[in-house]
Amino acid sequence: MSALAGSLPRRQITVLRAESLVNDGTALVVYGLAVGITVGEEHLTLPHVGALFLLAYGGGAAVGVAVAWVNMNLRRRLDDPLLGNLVMILAPFTAYLLAEQIHASGVLAVVVSGLIMAQVAPSLIRADHRRQALAFWPLATFIINGALFVLVGVELQYALRHLSRSDLRDALIAIGAVSVVLVAVRFAFLFSSAYLIRAIDRRPEQRLRRMSDRARVVSGLAGFRGAVSLAVALSVPENLDSGEPFPGRAFIVFVTSGVIVVTLVVQGLLLPGVVRWARLPRDTSVDEEQVLAETAATEEAIKALPRLAAEQGTTPKVVEWLRQEYEANLATVRARGAGTDDDPALLHNHHYTELRLALIATKRATVVRLRDESQIDDTVLRRLQAALDNEEVRLAGGEQVE
């Protein structure tokens, strides 16, 4: 699904991700109740079930707020990027485990904590902390996703060893049936809820939020089923309170793993074609908002330049140099927003970037040569190479526009 995110409108991707998080929180509460009833720890009454849902959502949100508050205070006090990012990595695990300790929703606690941090982090976290985190998370996400596929394969083998031939046949039938029912129920809910809302709410602003039936078909096929489903299946206890084996545990694990595999295969085979068939409008909102933000930020910086220069005691020559640089940047941003590829400002920026990259390559080769000639050691080489690498990434990624 993430591979197709670039071809889907931003709103649709946001809805799918948010929907997945809410579904996971609800499913985990239902799962905990079902397992508790099976092993003999819970009882099925309306007040009890209502209290469980209230605890799951209210307690999860409260834990998320508390963890975010502690996280914010720690990040304000930590200057070391390694320690700051260690806190960032531990925060979601802390939120999840604390929520689970009080039988609240760990998923909701992590989501609430993450939403709060996403709101305050841009003004709270230092640039060196953020740069290190951005370099870490793509690799970590890739490794976690890879580990999930390995775990699915391992669990399928485990379940196969504990299933008889007749049980295996029933499990394969169940995988097909569950996969079909999941997609059918999802389609039924998406279409019925949409038309029900249209019948009840006829406000003009509600009409602006409507999506086409083709887009709804894409959403129907793009439901997320993966890590949480497998984690739930694996957390089914081995034994009941009486000491007897939990009924059908291997069957549950096999069917869950099979549904995940079927989901991935179906999405991989069908979704690209369905997205093309849906002819979804190209989402340009991100590019438009980026141009708006860059333009406003640069204009405000140029406006503040005289005051800041006076406060810092900057020489007029430096002030003029910075003004020219920022005005060139502003002209480039406006040209990109207008979509005029042959604009002189864009050509100037392209030539400037290419020359700077060539000069960086020359500097890097010189530094390596000095190391090879034993005029500098590896410590100096690594320090200078890191600075050159940062500058090259900034230029090649379009962060530097003049």
Side-chain angles (χ1 to χ4, degrees), residues 30 41 63-65 131 135 139 146-147 156 159 241 324 369 376 386 389:
V30 174
E41 295 177 350
V63 170
V65 171
R131 191 168 187 86
L139 177 61
L156 280 173
D241 279 357
Q324 291 178 4
R369 177 175 58 79
I376 62 173
D389 289 345

Side-chain angles (χ1 to χ4, degrees), residues 198 200-210:
R198 290 183 185 183
I200 296 174
D201 188 354
R202 296 183 175 274
R203 294 175 302 165
E205 55 267 30
Q206 194 281 328
R207 293 177 182 176
L208 295 176
R209 293 194 290 266
R210 293 177 181 176

Side-chain angles (χ1 to χ4, degrees), residues 79-324:
D79 294 328
D80 188 342
L82 287 174
L83 293 178
N85 285 316
L86 178 62
V87 170
M88 176 193 66
I89 294 170
L90 293 178
F93 294 98
T94 303
Y96 186 89
L97 292 175
L98 286 177
E100 291 297 320
Q101 284 296 314
I102 63 171
H103 304 290
S105 172
V107 173
L108 188 61
V110 173
V111 171
V112 171
S113 176
L115 288 174
I116 294 173
M117 288 305 299
Q119 188 68 26
V120 303
S123 57
L124 178 70
I125 297 176
R126 292 171 44 177
D128 52 345
H129 293 223
R130 194 159 45 242
R131 191 168 187 86
Q132 188 180 83
L134 289 174
F136 165 78
W137 278 117
L139 177 61
T141 303
F142 182 81
I143 292 174
I144 291 171
N145 285 331
L148 173 63
F149 287 110
V150 173
L151 187 58
V152 169
V154 170
E155 291 305 317
L156 280 173
Q157 292 185 12
Y158 160 82
L160 278 172
R161 289 196 297 268
H162 292 79
L163 291 176
S164 64
R165 188 181 296 273
S166 60
D167 288 338
L168 179 59
R169 182 191 65 242
D170 294 341
L172 292 174
I173 295 173
I175 289 172
V178 169
S179 300
V180 171
V181 169
L182 281 173
V183 175
V185 170
R186 182 172 176 80
F187 269 87
F189 174 78
L190 285 173
F191 280 89
S192 62
S193 61
Y195 287 108
L196 179 62
I197 292 172
R198 290 183 185 183
I200 296 174
D201 188 354
R202 296 183 175 274
R203 294 175 302 165
E205 55 267 30
Q206 194 281 328
R207 293 177 182 176
L208 295 176
R209 293 194 290 266
R210 293 177 181 176
M211 64 170 63
S212 67
D213 288 341
R214 291 187 177 221
R216 200 166 285 111
V217 170
V218 175
S219 296
L221 287 175
F224 297 132
R225 287 177 284 277
V228 174
S229 302
L230 186 60
V232 166
L234 295 180
S235 60
V236 173
E238 296 276 355
N239 300 303
L240 305 175
D241 279 357
S242 62
E244 297 180 3
F246 193 97
R249 184 180 188 278
F251 187 89
I252 294 171
V253 172
F254 184 84
V255 171
T256 303
S257 302
V259 171
I260 293 172
V261 172
V262 169
T263 298
L264 293 173
V265 171
V266 169
Q267 287 184 346
L269 293 177
L270 295 183
L271 262 180
V274 172
V275 170
R276 289 192 295 270
W277 165 80
R279 295 196 298 272
L280 301 175
R282 183 173 177 269
D283 189 354
T284 60
S285 60
V286 173
D287 295 333
E288 292 169 358
E289 290 173 13
Q290 181 175 343
V291 170
L292 170 65
E294 289 183 357
T295 302
T298 307
E299 288 175 345
E300 289 294 326
I302 294 173
K303 192 182 300 182
L305 183 57
R307 175 179 58 82
L308 296 175
E311 293 174 358
Q312 300 292 330
T314 309
T315 62
K317 186 175 181 180
V318 173
V319 173
E320 184 58 28
W321 175 69
L322 276 174
R323 181 185 300 279
Q324 291 178 4

